[in-house]
Amino acid sequence: MRTSKFFKTGLLLFVASLGLISCGDDDKEPEIVVDPVSENVEYYIEGKVVADNAALDGVSVTAGEATATTDENGQYSLTVKDKKTYTVSFAKEGYRTVSDASVEIANNATNRSLVTLNVTMSKEGVAVAVDPESDKVITEKGEGETEDAQTVLTIPAGAVSTATDVTLTPYLEAVATDVTPGSKEEAIPMTNIAISSSQDAALNQDVTLSVANASSSDYYFDEVEVYEKTNARAIGDWKKYADAAFDKATNSYIAAIKKGSSLNKDYSIRVKSEKNVSETKNDEILKEDNSYSNAGNMSATTYDIPYTAKLGWEISASGLDEGALSLVKAAIAAQEGGSEGVYTVNKTFTAHVSGDYILYFSCKAKYVEKEYTFSIAGKKVTVKVKHYLGVEFVYTNQSSSMHGGGSIG
């Protein structure tokens, strides 16, 4: 009897020891991360700055507390923390400061998503002394420097009542890319011109403003208008001022700044267009559906996912000859921001992966497609534009016990 009792006790101890062994690492609860990227919420504002159709380095870029400097490719990157509209400024000595550009991190933006803002900067014009007794021809380069000048202001004798210094600076406003779907007719800016005078007085007679055509004189826009800025501090606050006429002899668009007007004012030379904008799309995969497995490891871990994002815009204009194409490109560049061309930026997305989980992820480009139609030398011309708006990163953490080999779509 005693032998049987000892045998039963030993058997119970053996079974108990097996139970203790089975409660090892394999039975630990996995460490769960609620959101793979919630520990570091941030969004990116990326873009390119150009001047005279070339990349501009050394530009200071600021959005709130976020700052950056453009590199040799004119590219910059800002990291921000909140979903809101940001005012972005661009500054470099010798160039007209852009202080009112804006970009929005939308309420539905996913964490680590990227939006783009491309900007064209202009050199400050050269001041010219103007007096009541003399005719003056002024360009952004100075007095009488008309060769390769973009804008020309002709002031006849007697147009001003007192001596003054006048500066002419062509520029483009940095406006958010139009992503409102649908068709519309509008006059889009080819260029804006800031005219400033050290003595602000009304003109005694008309002066002439000329803006160079962006192609040969065989190719020109038929419908061009002049707008004036009604509020110097407000972006987009313009009203029609006059029509502009194309002068084939000088290959330029000409308009009169009328008697009684001030020389301290901004004007915009605009071409009529028909524009059709698609819905925003995100069906272009930048990084294929992929996964990282932390199955079998009960501890959460981190995983770095490198990817390449597309930014910028490109034109598709089959059958359009070079003369008309150069004209159209100049007008669209003023509307879309920066210069034509798609460029890339390399980013790394750091994610946390739960214990015994698998992280599924993909990276998608966001873009819109547009059609612009212009009247050029009596003919309708239509081109297509694809504008990349940024990046959407899609991800999900899934228990390895639920693993089915699918994708996140």
Side-chain angles (χ1 to χ4, degrees), residues 15-16 26-27 53 72 78 88 102 112 130 137 140 178 182 195-196 213 218 230 255 259 265 274 333 349 354 370 388:
V15 171
D26 287 345
D27 284 347
N53 292 317
E72 66 275 9
L78 296 170
V88 189
S102 66
R112 312 287 178 86
V130 177
V137 176
E140 69 270 19
D178 183 4
I195 304 175
S196 60
N213 189 31
D218 292 329
T230 56
K259 177 182 176 180
K265 185 154 269 191
E274 298 172 16
F349 185 92
S354 296
K370 305 180 183 181
Y388 288 94

Side-chain angles (χ1 to χ4, degrees), residues 49-89:
V49 181
V50 300
D52 295 325
N53 292 317
L56 187 61
D57 64 357
V59 178
S60 297
V61 187
T62 305
E65 296 181 355
T67 61
T69 302
T70 57
D71 61 17
E72 66 275 9
N73 298 314
Q75 294 176 209
Y76 70 92
S77 177
L78 296 170
T79 300
V80 295
K81 297 294 186 179
D82 301 311
K83 295 179 181 180
K84 66 178 186 178
T85 297
Y86 289 87
T87 297
V88 189
S89 65

Side-chain angles (χ1 to χ4, degrees), residues 76-233:
Y76 70 92
S77 177
L78 296 170
T79 300
V80 295
K81 297 294 186 179
D82 301 311
K83 295 179 181 180
K84 66 178 186 178
T85 297
Y86 289 87
T87 297
V88 189
S89 65
F90 301 80
K92 182 174 181 175
E93 186 176 355
Y95 290 83
R96 178 185 171 90
T97 297
V98 176
S99 58
D100 50 10
S102 66
V103 66
E104 181 186 15
I105 306 297
N107 287 332
N108 62 353
T110 57
N111 190 7
R112 312 287 178 86
S113 60
L114 180 158
V115 297
T116 180
L117 178 64
N118 300 312
V119 171
T120 299
M121 295 185 71
S122 303
K123 289 183 178 179
E124 292 282 2
V126 177
V128 175
V130 177
D131 61 76
E133 289 78 31
S134 306
D135 294 338
K136 291 290 182 178
V137 176
I138 304 171
T139 77
E140 69 270 19
K141 299 181 177 184
E143 182 178 354
E145 297 288 336
T146 57
E147 186 175 355
D148 297 326
Q150 186 179 355
T151 54
V152 179
L153 185 67
T154 304
I155 303 178
V160 296
S161 300
T162 185
T164 183
D165 292 334
V166 177
T167 304
L168 202 63
T169 303
Y171 71 96
L172 293 173
E173 285 185 318
V175 295
T177 302
D178 183 4
V179 296
T180 304
S183 299
K184 64 197 79 176
E185 294 184 359
E186 62 181 348
I188 63 173
M190 292 190 288
T191 189
N192 303 324
I193 306 102
I195 304 175
S196 60
S197 171
S198 59
Q199 300 294 325
D200 190 11
L203 290 168
N204 297 323
Q205 54 184 290
D206 292 357
V207 302
T208 301
L209 179 64
S210 303
V211 174
N213 189 31
S215 186
S216 72
S217 59
D218 292 329
Y219 302 93
Y220 55 89
F221 291 118
D222 293 316
E223 300 174 291
V224 177
E225 300 174 334
V226 182
Y227 282 64
E228 65 175 346
K229 197 164 192 179
T230 56
N231 185 338
R233 295 184 178 182

Side-chain angles (χ1 to χ4, degrees), residues 296-314:
N297 179 14
M298 297 297 107
S299 298
T301 188
T302 60
Y303 180 64
D304 288 341
I305 307 167
Y307 64 95
T308 299
K310 281 184 177 180
L311 302 176
W313 52 275
E314 57 190 358

